């Protein structure tokens, strides 16, 4: 409907807002794939829009937290950090990028970002969260150590952290 309306009228004054409203509505309805799609369409059609940084951030968050598409989320956060280095939420963007790398089992990249974070954002309000993430990685995924038991604990930690308690089922081998 939006595309046909735009093609017929040529009026684009409110069209960007329509994309954003649709994306937000789909997100509210928990139809995250559709929401991410509308955010993506907005980004492609309006690359110079004033709030593009917020749109990229929302798309990245949906990809990361709702769709578990860590590879695409990393691309969005990298684009956001590169295109908007002075963004008011640069610290959160860097932290989210480190998280998606960890969630995608790119541990070295995650650690590099988290360690650099402490230098880049020494007064950040999320510095405690960054230290917690560093401790988590150090505990469950020690650098250079791929022992089977430690790897299983790390993977189980991810499964448990990402599943609601009512969805957890365990079976025991006999």
């Amino acid at each position: 409907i939006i595309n046909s309306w735009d093609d017929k009228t040529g009026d684009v004054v409110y069209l960007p807002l329509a994309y954003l409203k649709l994306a937000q509505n789909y997100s509210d309805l928990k139809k995250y794939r559709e929401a991410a799609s509308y955010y993506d369409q907005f980004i492609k059609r309006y690359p110079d829009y004033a709030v593009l940084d917020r749109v990229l951030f929302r798309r990245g968050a949906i990809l990361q937290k709702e769709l578990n598409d860590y590879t695409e989320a990393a691309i969005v956060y990298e684009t956001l950090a590169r295109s908007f280095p002075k963004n008011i939420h640069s610290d959160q963007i860097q932290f989210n990028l480190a998280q998606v790398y960890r969630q995608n089992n790119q541990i070295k990249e995650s650690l590099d970002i988290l360690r650099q974070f402490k230098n880049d954002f020494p007064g950040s309000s999320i510095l405690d969260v960054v230290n917690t993430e560093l401790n988590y990685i150090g505990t469950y995924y020690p650098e250079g150590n791929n022992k089977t038991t430690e790897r299983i604990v790390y993977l189980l930690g991810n499964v448990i952290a990402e599943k609601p308690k009512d969805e957890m089922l365990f079976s025991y081998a006999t």
Side-chain angles (χ1 to χ4, degrees):
I1 294 174
I2 287 180
N3 291 333
S4 63
W5 182 74
D6 183 30
D7 293 338
K8 290 177 185 171
T9 66
D11 184 6
V12 293
V13 174
Y14 297 107
L15 195 56
L17 298 175
Y19 277 101
L20 294 179
K21 186 64 177 167
L22 278 168
Q24 186 59 51
N25 287 346
Y26 276 114
S27 183
D28 292 345
L29 293 170
K30 299 187 182 334
K31 294 187 176 192
Y32 300 112
R33 189 142 324 272
E34 291 86 350
S37 174
Y38 276 106
Y39 283 132
D40 189 45
Q41 290 176 51
F42 178 93
I43 292 162
K44 288 176 181 170
R45 288 182 80 123
Y46 307 104
D48 298 323
Y49 203 77
V51 295
L52 186 63
D53 56 338
R54 290 185 228 166
V55 176
L56 283 164
F57 188 82
R58 287 181 184 163
R59 183 166 188 270
I62 286 174
L63 291 166
Q64 176 188 6
K65 296 174 181 162
E66 306 301 342
L67 298 176
N68 299 329
D69 187 346
Y70 307 127
T71 302
E72 187 65 24
I75 292 168
V76 171
Y77 290 135
E78 288 166 353
T79 300
L80 186 53
R82 186 177 54 254
S83 300
F84 301 94
K86 303 283 188 207
N87 183 290
I88 191 169
H89 300 292
S90 292
D91 57 346
Q92 186 67 52
I93 293 163
Q94 287 299 100
F95 178 70
N96 287 5
L97 182 58
Q99 276 191 316
V100 296
Y101 279 142
R102 177 186 52 81
Q103 291 165 322
N104 207 30
N105 291 320
Q106 295 174 275
I107 303 304
K108 182 187 178 318
E109 291 83 352
S110 179
L111 286 170
D112 289 346
I113 290 172
L114 292 169
R115 289 177 181 139
Q116 186 61 42
F117 183 100
K118 295 173 104 177
N119 293 328
D120 292 347
F121 308 103
S124 173
S125 63
I126 61 170
L127 198 52
D128 287 342
V129 178
V130 169
N131 287 327
T132 300
E133 184 77 0
L134 279 166
N135 289 336
Y136 178 83
I137 291 172
T139 300
Y140 294 106
Y141 207 106
E143 268 185 291
N145 190 349
N146 287 329
K147 293 180 184 172
T148 304
T149 304
E150 291 170 336
R151 183 76 176 129
I152 290 170
V153 168
Y154 171 77
L155 292 172
L156 280 174
N158 277 346
V159 168
I160 292 169
E162 294 176 8
K163 290 275 189 191
K165 288 183 181 176
D166 60 339
E167 290 184 24
M168 292 302 298
L169 297 174
F170 291 96
S171 60
Y172 299 93
T174 57

